[in-house]
Amino acid sequence: MEIVRKVNNISELCAQARTEGKSIGLVPTMGALHAGHVSLIERARKENDIVVVSVFVNPTQFNNPEDLRTYPRTEEADCEKLEAAGVDYAFIPSVEEIYPEEDTRIFNLGPVAEVMEGAMRPGHFNGVAQIVSRLFAMTGPTRAYFGEKDFQQIAVIRRMAELEGFDKLDIIACPIKREADGLALSSRNVRLTPRQREVAPAIHAIMAASVDDAKSMTVDQTIKSVVDKINAHEEMEVEYYQIVNPVTMQPIADWNEAPCGEAVGCITVYLGDVRLIDNIKYNIK
Ligand code: PAF
């Protein structure tokens, strides 16, 4: 594995690979790698000749400076995992390398970016669009891999790709990886206290149980039941729980509005100052 720190270098290496007719799989990350990231890399490894993983804590997508400051940075351990997963190029640039000048682009991301994370974290998705569009332009991947834990982010990236004309590139959504007790893997999990870590699996357990309950409940009742059950744990506070159309990300008011009966419940929960997100699929036929 080669560690690449300069934009020019990664662009040249990828251009060379494309000239040789090789496919390129890109896995954008912010580091603090866990088994969820490794599953994306494994998939990219199977489906492409060359695998590029970017490790970059992107400042423009943090609307909370404290969150940016405390975001885990574990480059050495990350590189060991990348090497073991058979990555060709680990692209680990500095902030100055990616943003030699301020990125002032405002993307017209539309309704997919206006709800949930978009409403709670102003500017977040514009920052995601800024960095991901740069990574796409720098590496020219054949396929790019993203985890479904950030379900709304994938819809936003698809929209950005459409706006920016990345139409030949396949954006591949990969399933959420969970701990044995159901907690969705997240780089933020390491910040949970032992007590918070003990209760956190209830988030997934309660959402998963609601999939069955939903068959005899309205959308509003399902939402209320999930929120009440999670909030009953004194360590947890739901920021939002919305059940949305999986393509448009717009909240549905009735199960009939779910295309082919499919909807996704998206949640954000605070445990102290740690903000966790998760989601679950509903299939109401
Ligand atoms: O999901 C993430 O880790 C980030 O939002 C991404 C896609 C790497 C962009 O910084």
Side-chain angles (χ1 to χ4, degrees):
M1 181 180 85
E2 193 175 328
I3 298 178
V4 182
R5 297 196 186 268
K6 297 287 174 199
V7 170
N8 282 351
N9 293 357
I10 196 67
S11 296
E12 277 163 22
L13 289 164
C14 291
Q16 179 62 34
R18 280 194 305 276
T19 312
E20 291 165 11
K22 292 181 175 158
S23 58
I24 300 172
L26 170 70
V27 184
T29 82
M30 297 208 297
L33 302 179
H34 50 63
H37 298 110
V38 173
S39 73
L40 305 184
I41 297 166
E42 283 168 352
R43 174 122 182 233
R45 184 68 286 167
K46 277 199 197 104
E47 297 178 352
N48 300 279
D49 301 314
I50 298 286
V51 176
V52 180
V53 178
S54 59
V55 175
F56 179 66
V57 181
N58 173 40
T60 72
Q61 71 186 74
F62 285 82
N63 56 321
N64 174 350
E66 190 55 14
D67 195 19
L68 172 61
R69 197 184 63 76
T70 55
Y71 201 85
R73 288 160 172 91
T74 57
E75 187 178 311
E76 216 179 295
D78 289 347
C79 285
E80 281 167 23
K81 288 183 184 134
L82 296 176
E83 178 96 58
V87 168
D88 297 287
Y89 303 126
F91 178 46
I92 315 184
S94 64
V95 173
E96 296 70 33
E97 187 62 21
I98 293 288
Y99 299 113
E101 276 158 29
E102 193 187 346
D103 191 339
T104 53
R105 290 175 300 160
I106 305 286
F107 291 80
N108 175 17
L109 298 169
V112 287
E114 283 162 12
V115 293
M116 301 191 289
E117 292 301 278
M120 294 299 162
R121 303 179 67 191
H124 167 66
F125 282 136
N126 197 63
V128 170
Q130 288 175 340
I131 182 59
V132 176
S133 63
R134 280 176 186 241
L135 293 169
F136 284 0
M138 287 165 193
T139 60
T142 318
R143 301 177 187 87
Y145 297 81
F146 298 91
E148 280 191 333
K149 184 170 72 66
D150 296 292
F151 193 78
Q152 188 181 7
Q153 172 171 271
I154 301 178
V156 170
I157 291 170
R158 287 192 200 284
R159 166 79 180 150
M160 177 281 292
E162 196 180 290
L163 290 171
E164 296 294 293
F166 293 111
D167 41 356
K168 291 204 182 66
L169 141 62
D170 247 350
I171 291 167
I172 298 178
C174 303
I176 301 178
K177 279 276 168 191
R178 298 184 180 281
E179 300 282 5
D181 59 15
L183 178 64
L185 295 187
S186 163
S187 306
R188 292 188 162 92
N189 291 351
V190 295
R191 295 185 49 223
L192 297 171
T193 64
R195 175 64 192 148
Q196 289 167 342
R197 176 63 190 83
E198 203 177 300
V199 294
I203 301 169
H204 174 64
I206 291 167
M207 287 200 297
S210 82
V211 170
D212 245 2
D213 299 345
K215 291 177 183 143
S216 56
M217 284 183 179
T218 64
V219 171
D220 278 353
Q221 285 166 341
T222 308
I223 292 172
K224 185 172 179 336
S225 146
V226 166
V227 172
D228 288 350
K229 285 179 185 160
I230 294 178
N231 283 345
H233 295 261
E234 65 175 272
E235 296 82 1
M236 300 201 274
E237 169 98 54
V238 175
E239 185 180 42
Y240 65 77
Y241 187 51
Q242 294 200 359
I243 298 181
V244 302
N245 174 314
V247 178
T248 65
M249 298 295 126
Q250 301 312 295
I252 58 169
D254 189 285
W255 296 117
N256 289 333
E257 293 170 27
C260 305
E262 283 172 21
V264 175
C266 298
I267 201 159
T268 300
V269 182
Y270 273 100
L271 292 97
D273 64 352
V274 183
R275 186 175 186 271
L276 298 183
I277 68 173
D278 202 346
N279 61 76
I280 195 101
K281 294 191 171 133
Y282 291 93
N283 201 333
I284 310 286
K285 289 271 164 64

